[in-house]
Amino acid sequence: MSKKNKTLGIEGNLTNYGDPGFAAYLRRSFARSMGYSVDTLDRPIIGIATSPSGFNNCHRSMPELVEAVKRGVLKRGGLPIDFPTTSLGEVFLSPTSMKFRNLMAMDVEEMIRAQPMDACVLIGGCDKTVPAQLMGAASANVPSIQLVTGPMLALPFQGERLGACTDCRRFWGRYRAGEISDAQIDEIEGKLATTAGSCAVMGTASTMASITEALGMGLPNSAAIPAVHADRLRLAEACGERAMEMAVDRGPLPRSVITRDSVENALRVLLAISGSTNAVIHLAAVAGRCGIELSLEELNRLSDETPVLVNLKPTGEHYMQDLFAAGGLQAVLWELREQLNLDCMTVTGETLGERLKVAPTWVDRDVVRPFSDPYQKEGGLVALFGSLAPTGAILKRAAADPNLFEKEGRAVVFNSLEDLSERIDSPDLDVTADDFLVLKNAGPKSESCMPEAGYLPIPKKLASAGVKDMVRISDARMSGTAFGTVVLHVSPDAASGGNLAFVENGDRIRISVKNKVLELLVEPSELQRRRSGWQPPVIPERGYSKLYRETVTQAPDGCDFDFLKAK
Ligand code: FES
């Protein structure tokens, strides 16, 4: 190892006693108390950021991934040291995991920066964990590789495969409509998520895994390997080996991998896989950590020219395991190659173009379509602008009903999540299938911290009459596994005094996906009248809730804390 490339190992980031020699001596002494031999402590250190938790089913397989990463590091002569960070299990957190993504990102950033490590392997999987790790790693800017836990398997039940969580929603919708019984929904509950790993469809976790690969922060063709497949353990071992090379080379650094061009590549992939709307927020946050602004106008430009190539639920038919068998994300990147910035550096030290020098040997065209014959001609997501969303809103058009794209309707307004749950199924609710359901006060600045509540249920009386979709508008998010004509992330949100706060029952709203417009058809003078006397919500007095509510930014800025973005 040349002097220039000398890694710091156990003597990196010394504790400050005002005497570095003493700090190194004390650290070595305490490290030796864990049984390390002297020569082991002289090796480069690869940190392994782990997030297993009894409250995180998606990270169930993490212990064996950690072991495999360690094998790879040891093979190359390094010292692997794993450390825990916050873990965010999507369905185990209240009010929503989104409130805690930035907490985990701060934890990851500070633990990478504070502890002695020459490179880091980040292991995450569930929805918020991968964005949090990418955000933290980008800010710490120590050589890092992202390893995802991989998707669950969708396994057969009574003749059809079930996978979390598009099927969860499908069956819940049928249950609400009275099509299946209590006993049936109980039985299905035990069949939707049956293996380790993240959700089995192209939801937020799988989208973020794909984006990780497109950004160049993961190893090639890693996103779709099922959590329980032996290839994922081999991938983990390879991550350990590669992290050792990065430690010695002191790079590539996250901020030389995450660039304006690689963020554009990630957006292209997001559109081509018809990925989760949440990923727009997360990608904006990751980019923001590198001083890059993600523009929703740019998203629209890319969306108009990037076709949907992947036939996966919730917009298509298949599951992540089918994408793996079909050729993986590499097959998608190959089809998109003429639209991608091929000069982008990746964690392997190769450019994206070098990764794409050779065509995939076989691709299942039922799952990954050729660029010349796409699944849909335009990208899966579109941003809408107008008086109801001056700084933007998002619609997953690939998962919506095109019959509702050019439409004017009457607003049926719910002032909060509590109001929604109290009244949505009331027989007295004045609502028709042509109305627009509007939910306020579920955005980032609200008390509910932007939960996945934007997929408003169809009112029971309409659902039982066979209505499957309606225009639904909110400042909330939606699960990446959901579908419907659901306009999300309306910005500025109601809790920060955006126009959404002043929509009233009976107002007219116009949506035009063709023109990318979302207009509240109320005179500005009337809106001004409604605005007078408006009070922002009360901020909690202490703790993380206070920090969150005071500093969280709007969806187009990634809902990061304002002081965490790179200058
Ligand atoms: Fe963890 Fe879906 S609940 S990825």
Side-chain angles (χ1 to χ4, degrees):
M1 199 180 297
S2 75
K3 200 167 167 51
K4 175 174 152 281
N5 290 341
K6 177 93 176 69
T7 50
L8 292 170
I10 201 72
E11 294 186 13
N13 294 333
L14 284 173
T15 313
N16 196 348
Y17 295 107
D19 179 350
F22 173 74
Y25 150 78
L26 198 66
R27 179 176 287 173
R28 295 180 76 87
S29 166
F30 281 31
R32 288 173 74 177
S33 81
M34 292 187 276
Y36 291 115
S37 59
V38 173
D39 63 327
T40 301
L41 289 177
D42 281 339
R43 296 176 176 200
I45 294 180
I46 306 303
I48 306 171
T50 68
S51 47
S53 161
F55 291 113
N56 194 337
N57 60 295
C58 300
H59 291 191
R60 199 175 97 195
S61 59
M62 201 163 289
E64 63 176 359
L65 288 173
V66 173
E67 286 312 307
V69 173
K70 286 184 173 177
R71 247 185 347 258
V73 175
L74 291 168
K75 238 165 99 179
R76 294 297 180 110
L79 171 57
I81 300 185
D82 54 312
F83 61 98
T85 70
T86 308
S87 183
L88 304 175
E90 187 62 20
V91 300
F92 293 93
L93 289 157
S94 177
T96 166
S97 62
M98 190 63 190
K99 177 176 176 182
F100 306 104
R101 183 203 61 182
N102 298 347
L103 179 68
M104 181 173 177
M106 290 169 78
D107 185 359
V108 170
E109 173 186 347
E110 298 302 338
M111 288 305 101
I112 292 176
R113 192 180 279 133
Q115 298 177 125
M117 65 190 77
D118 297 295
C120 187
V121 178
L122 309 145
I123 316 182
C126 197
D127 288 11
K128 306 302 178 298
T129 61
V130 174
Q133 290 182 327
L134 291 172
M135 291 160 71
S139 293
N141 210 28
V142 167
S144 298
I145 298 184
Q146 181 76 55
L147 168 64
V148 300
T149 56
M152 294 178 203
L153 292 183
L155 293 172
F157 172 67
Q158 296 184 348
E160 66 169 326
R161 288 189 299 168
L162 300 186
C165 228
T166 304
D167 296 323
C168 318
R169 292 169 202 288
R170 179 164 60 87
F171 280 106
W172 189 250
R174 290 183 60 198
Y175 175 63
R176 277 178 58 81
E179 292 170 17
I180 55 177
S181 66
D182 287 351
Q184 284 171 310
I185 199 78
D186 280 351
E187 192 173 16
I188 286 160
E189 183 183 284
K191 306 295 179 192
L192 291 162
T194 52
T195 76
S198 51
C199 286
V201 298
M202 191 52 84
T204 305
S206 301
T207 305
M208 289 311 300
S210 305
I211 278 181
T212 295
E213 199 175 321
L215 277 174
M217 286 296 291
L219 294 191
N221 226 11
S222 54
I225 304 170
V228 296
H229 198 293
D231 280 357
R232 188 150 290 282
L233 294 174
R234 283 185 276 272
L235 169 74
E237 190 175 310
C239 285
E241 288 189 68
R242 178 59 197 151
M244 259 303 287
E245 293 168 357
M246 291 166 73
V248 172
D249 293 344
R250 301 271 176 95
L253 298 173
R255 273 187 253 160
S256 57
V257 172
I258 304 168
T259 61
R260 188 168 298 283
D261 281 353
S262 71
V263 168
E264 184 181 303
N265 288 343
L267 271 178
R268 289 265 189 212
V269 166
L270 167 61
L271 294 161
I273 61 178
S274 194
S276 163
T277 47
N278 286 319
V280 181
I281 296 179
H282 298 320
L283 189 57
V286 173
R289 295 300 186 99
C290 302
I292 301 160
E293 196 182 330
L294 191 149
S295 136
L296 294 182
E297 286 85 357
E298 178 73 355
L299 172 78
N300 278 346
R301 182 183 73 75
L302 298 175
S303 193
D304 284 347
E305 55 184 49
T306 309
V308 177
L309 299 174
V310 172
N311 179 7
L312 249 60
K313 292 186 181 207
T315 54
E317 300 162 291
H318 299 289
Y319 296 91
M320 280 300 277
Q321 69 205 58
D322 304 316
L323 176 59
F324 169 66
L329 198 77
Q330 189 80 357
V332 182
L333 292 167
W334 175 262
E335 292 301 326
L336 277 181
R337 66 195 182 283
E338 287 184 7
Q339 292 194 326
L340 297 174
N341 301 307
L342 297 176
D343 289 338
C344 293
M345 180 49 60
T346 72
V347 286
T348 52
E350 309 160 289
T351 63
L352 183 62
E354 285 166 334
R355 283 188 179 188
L356 292 173
K357 265 204 305 243
V358 182
T361 44
W362 184 81
V363 177
D364 180 347
R365 291 301 180 196
D366 194 32
V367 181
V368 179
R369 298 279 178 87
F371 189 87
S372 54
D373 180 23
Y375 188 57
Q376 291 179 16
K377 287 204 170 67
E378 295 170 320
L381 304 176
V382 65
L384 307 175
F385 299 90
S387 55
L388 188 50
T391 53
I394 295 287
L395 171 74
K396 187 168 186 175
R397 63 179 161 190
D401 179 355
N403 293 319
L404 301 176
F405 283 4
E406 310 298 322
K407 189 171 164 64
E408 188 182 310
R410 181 184 71 135
V412 175
V413 179
F414 301 91
N415 285 314
S416 65
L417 287 159
E418 295 70 31
D419 185 30
L420 174 72
S421 65
E422 268 169 33
R423 293 194 297 120
I424 188 75
D425 287 338
S426 164
D428 299 333
L429 185 69
D430 177 13
V431 67
T432 72
D434 281 329
D435 292 334
F436 290 9
L437 303 178
V438 177
L439 170 66
K440 305 176 182 180
N441 295 311
K445 283 279 188 192
S446 73
E447 196 182 349
S448 55
C449 308
M450 207 181 190
E452 289 185 337
Y455 178 69
L456 275 64
I458 304 294
K460 206 164 201 162
K461 66 182 180 186
L462 297 180
S464 38
V467 176
K468 298 273 187 258
D469 197 6
M470 293 173 71
V471 176
R472 288 160 270 178
I473 300 170
S474 75
D475 46 8
R477 297 176 301 115
M478 173 174 86
S479 164
T481 61
F483 44 86
T485 310
V486 182
V487 179
L488 304 152
H489 314 176
V490 167
S491 301
D493 70 341
S496 51
N499 284 346
L500 179 65
F502 310 108
V503 183
E504 293 183 357
N505 275 325
D507 286 349
R508 307 291 296 178
I509 295 173
R510 185 167 58 230
I511 184 172
S512 169
V513 175
K514 187 171 62 158
N515 297 321
K516 306 191 171 70
V517 158
L518 186 67
E519 295 285 359
L520 175 60
L521 304 176
V522 173
E523 287 301 319
S525 56
E526 170 60 13
L527 271 183
Q528 196 52 41
R529 187 193 65 75
R530 295 179 191 177
R531 182 180 291 276
S532 62
W534 176 80
Q535 293 287 332
V538 176
I539 304 275
E541 281 179 11
R542 62 171 297 281
Y544 179 74
S545 295
K546 176 177 164 69
L547 177 73
Y548 172 91
R549 295 278 294 285
E550 284 179 346
T551 62
V552 73
T553 56
Q554 293 290 305
D557 289 321
C559 299
D560 202 358
F561 294 156
D562 54 14
F563 60 92
L564 292 173
K565 292 179 73 175
K567 290 269 183 278

